[in-house]
Amino acid sequence: MRTDDLIAALAADGATSEAGPTPPRGVALALALGGAAVAAIFFAALGPRHDLAASGALAATAAKCGLALLLALAAAGAALRLARPGARPGVAVAALFIVPLALGVWAAVEFATLGAAGWSRRLVGTNALHCLMLIPAFALIPLAGLLAALRRGAPTRPALAGAAAGVAAAGVGALFYALNCTDDSPLFIAAWYSLATAMVAGLGALAADRLLRW
Amino acid sequence: MRTHDESIEALLRAARRGDAAAYRRFLAQVGKALRAKIRPALARAGRGNAEVEDIVQETLLAIHLKRDTWSEDRPLAPWLAAIARYKLVDALRRRGLSGAAPLDDVIETIPAPEPEPHVDGDVRKLLDRLPERARRIVTLVSIEGRSAAEAGREIGISEGATRVALHRALKDLARLYRSSGDAH
């Protein structure tokens, strides 16, 4: 087929657009529906921690959930940008760094108030294994939706876009897991939530390397 | 890419409003620019025009299938350059070539009008790998220049069904291009 012939075929197809939601709409749907599905499973199988009403627990849980939500939204924004050829990283990628920064500040505040004594106990916590299993398990649901939404896009670095989708999905998983987890130290979060997030990001990158090529 | 008379951004905008003639001019101009950039990259690797044309076609197909990812409030040049670079790097990698010139300035170049060389690459055979009816539809609207409605009448299906089948055939073709060149 000559290129001019191909162009004629493409022009004849010019009025036909892809079926399904556009990437921004698809990503929003994946976050909303994925979040709802994770919420249903979470409240049916696990539920929030029993001491949620205790002083300190509520504030710490709110902080954890807030950071998880921020991470999910910023990473979803970054994934969307990565799915648009030629787009600059922009605000969404900058917002990703707010989360580790906030964790650092939180850790500094904890050191200032509690001192260094017992830091290793706070770091190891009591739920590390739970954290490493439940966040990725929850994250699988939104991750599938996010990857499906990004297939309509055109990521020139598919693995990176998949990693961003993985971070966003881990944020959704962490948002719910944090409601149950009684480890409130920023040291615990920096270690175990981050490791869980990295696992999902790696999975997202691997899957995207196959699914998001175009 | 700046052109003598009309900007390709204006052409693609018009194409989105349903102007098929503008879309053809857009694709033809982008194809020319791609050819001018891809040819030296392949010549350095000792590859000829047939493969250049294969990559031009694969890139045009990608631009077509992903044209929704350009939003009209953003500049078109970086979008086109990113797609061209992605497809060229991928095509070279599949052929076991690498280290070709980056395509950063692909769209800034005003190509001297270059006719499409009369070559048929391996990709010509890709059309033969489509299912019978899909190949028929693509052949009718491309090589024979029919409209979707005419092509549909010819094979006895509705215009809508023809459009759906054509779109699917082009996506299949894009997938075939993507796996072509592996054998080199």
Side-chain angles (χ1 to χ4, degrees), chain A residues 1-18 23 81 83-86 150-158 212-214, chain B residues 23-24 27-28 35 53 57 60-62 64 66-69 74 78-79 82-83 86-87 116 118 120 124 141-143 163 166-167 170-171 173 178:
Chain A
M1 184 165 43
R2 289 169 43 79
T3 302
D4 284 344
D5 297 332
L6 177 72
I7 287 174
L10 299 184
D13 188 49
T16 308
S17 52
E18 294 295 310
R81 272 185 179 269
R84 229 174 40 218
L150 292 176
R151 277 177 67 84
R152 263 287 295 271
T156 51
R157 281 173 293 180
L212 297 189
R213 291 197 171 279
W214 50 282
Chain B
Y23 194 38
R24 282 183 88 128
L27 291 168
R35 194 172 295 124
E53 221 47 36
Q57 293 184 6
L60 285 174
L61 251 175
H64 171 70
K66 296 299 184 184
R67 65 197 186 284
D68 283 355
T69 62
R74 288 168 207 281
W79 180 83
I83 293 181
Y86 174 73
K87 294 312 290 188
E116 179 193 342
H118 286 263
D120 271 322
R124 179 192 167 72
V141 299
S142 62
I143 298 165
R163 289 186 181 281
L166 173 63
H167 190 66
L170 291 175
K171 288 176 92 165
L173 210 50
R178 211 154 51 231

Side-chain angles (χ1 to χ4, degrees), chain A residues 64-97:
Chain A
K64 287 191 287 185
C65 291
L67 286 177
L69 185 63
L70 182 61
L71 187 71
L73 295 177
L80 271 176
R81 272 185 179 269
L82 286 165
R84 229 174 40 218
R88 297 180 184 286
V91 197
V93 177
L96 272 175
F97 292 96

